[in-house]
Amino acid sequence: MSTPSLAALPIRRLTHRDLTACADLSEDRGWPREEHKWGFLLAAGKGYGIDDPQGGLVAACVTTEYGPWGNPDLGAIGMVLVAERHARQGVGRRLMRHVVSIMGTTPLTLHATPNGRPLYEELGFKVTGRAEMLRGRFTPGGSETGVLTRAATAEDLPAILRLDEEVFGADRTPLITRLPAFADQLRVAEESGRIIGYTAAWPNMDTHVVGPLVARDTATAQALITSLAAHTDRPLRTDIDVRHEELLAWAKARGLASVAFNAVMTYGITDLPGDWTRRFAPLTVAAG
C-alpha cells in the first residue's frame, strides 16, 4: 500500500490524548518537550494536527480564543511545529491556512521566531512589536520599590480577572482561571487594598516562566518579579515587550540574560488591543 501524500493527510482537532505526540514533536524539532505547557494549551485552547501514517504527528499548532464564546475578540496561534522529516514541504503553510480560515474574521496574533516569520508574512501577518526572551538566576539587590506583594488567594480572582481584561483588552477568563492549578506561584501587588498588578511563575523544564506580568508601572513589575524569585530556586525565564526598556535593563542587571527576540505579529488588526504600558509579559508566547 502506498503512503498517502502529505497534502492528502487530513487536519484534525487534537485532544489531551495527543499530549505525548505533541511533546514528541517538540523534541523532534529540538524544542523542550514542555508537556506541562502542552497540556495547559490543549485544555484552554484548541489544538490542530496532522497524523503521520508511520506514527506520531506530522505537524501541530494550538489556538487560544479570547472574548465572548463563539464570537471571540482575539485569537492567538502558537506551538506551530512540523516534524523535521516533513519540513520544507508546505505542511506548515497548509496547517496555518487551515487555522486562519477556521478563525474567520477573528483578529489574530502570534509570536514569530526569525525562522517562522517569512511564512507568517506570506499569509498576511504584520509585525507590530517585539518581545525579548530573558533567562537566568535572579540576584536580588538595589533599593526596595515599596510596593506590597503577596500570594494571591481565591478571593482575589475576580479582581485579577477585571484587571487582566482591562489591560489585555479581551476577556481571558478560561485561561486565567486555570492559573492557580497551572502555576507554582500566583502573586498580586496591592495598594490600599486594591490590586494593581499580578503575575505567576509556572514550571517549564528546569525554569520558572514569569508570566503573565501585568502591573501598574515598572516599579510594580519589579516588585512582582522579585517576589516570585524569592520563592523559587530555579532560574527564571520571561518574554518582555521591548518597549519596557527600564524593566529589561533592571532584569539584566539582576542576572537575567537575553536569549532571543520574537516578532509580535497580528492579522486583521493593526495593533493589539488593551494597554501595553501595563502589559509587561505574556502568560506564554504560545497564547499571545
Side-chain angles (χ1 to χ4, degrees), residues 12-181:
R12 68 171 177 88
R13 281 283 302 274
L14 300 176
T15 72
H16 204 272
R17 291 190 296 273
D18 297 299
L19 178 58
T20 299
C22 290
D24 289 344
L25 184 59
S26 290
E27 197 168 53
D28 174 77
R29 292 316 304 257
W31 289 18
R33 290 185 63 83
E34 299 186 310
E35 292 185 11
H36 186 59
K37 182 168 79 172
W38 271 112
F40 177 80
L41 292 169
L42 289 172
K46 299 174 182 176
Y48 297 90
I50 301 173
D51 290 313
D52 189 329
Q54 299 179 10
L57 290 169
V58 170
C61 73
V62 175
T63 65
T64 313
E65 299 176 4
Y66 305 116
W69 186 86
N71 186 29
D73 298 319
L74 182 68
I77 302 174
M79 307 302 281
V80 182
L81 284 166
V82 177
E84 179 63 38
R85 62 192 177 279
H86 299 299
R88 294 168 293 279
Q89 298 180 53
V91 182
R93 181 179 294 101
R94 179 178 165 228
L95 181 59
M96 280 294 300
R97 288 189 187 281
H98 177 81
V99 169
V100 170
S101 174
I102 284 177
M103 297 299 287
T105 59
T106 301
L108 304 174
T109 184
L110 55 79
H111 282 65
T113 64
N115 287 338
R117 177 174 164 178
L119 168 61
Y120 304 133
E121 288 180 328
E122 179 187 325
L123 295 173
F125 285 81
K126 307 292 185 184
V127 175
T128 55
R130 281 205 312 165
E132 184 172 4
M133 182 190 295
L134 303 180
R135 186 187 187 281
R137 291 199 173 274
F138 182 88
T139 303
S143 58
E144 293 291 328
T145 62
V147 177
L148 175 65
T149 64
R150 59 171 174 80
T153 68
E155 287 72 26
D156 294 321
L157 193 54
I160 289 173
L161 288 170
R162 285 193 298 272
L163 175 62
D164 186 82
E165 182 173 358
E166 183 182 319
V167 172
F168 190 76
D171 180 12
R172 297 199 293 176
T173 296
L175 203 73
I176 303 305
T177 52
R178 285 178 165 86
L179 272 179

Side-chain angles (χ1 to χ4, degrees), residues 190-205:
E190 63 180 358
E191 181 181 81
S192 303
R194 182 173 64 90
I195 290 177
I196 58 173
Y198 85 97
T199 191
W202 50 271
N204 187 269
M205 312 309 289

Side-chain angles (χ1 to χ4, degrees), residues 246-269:
E246 185 180 351
L247 184 66
L248 281 166
W250 172 86
K252 292 172 184 177
R254 296 294 179 273
L256 275 63
S258 179
V259 175
F261 288 90
N262 286 325
V264 179
M265 307 186 77
T266 58
Y267 179 94
I269 46 174

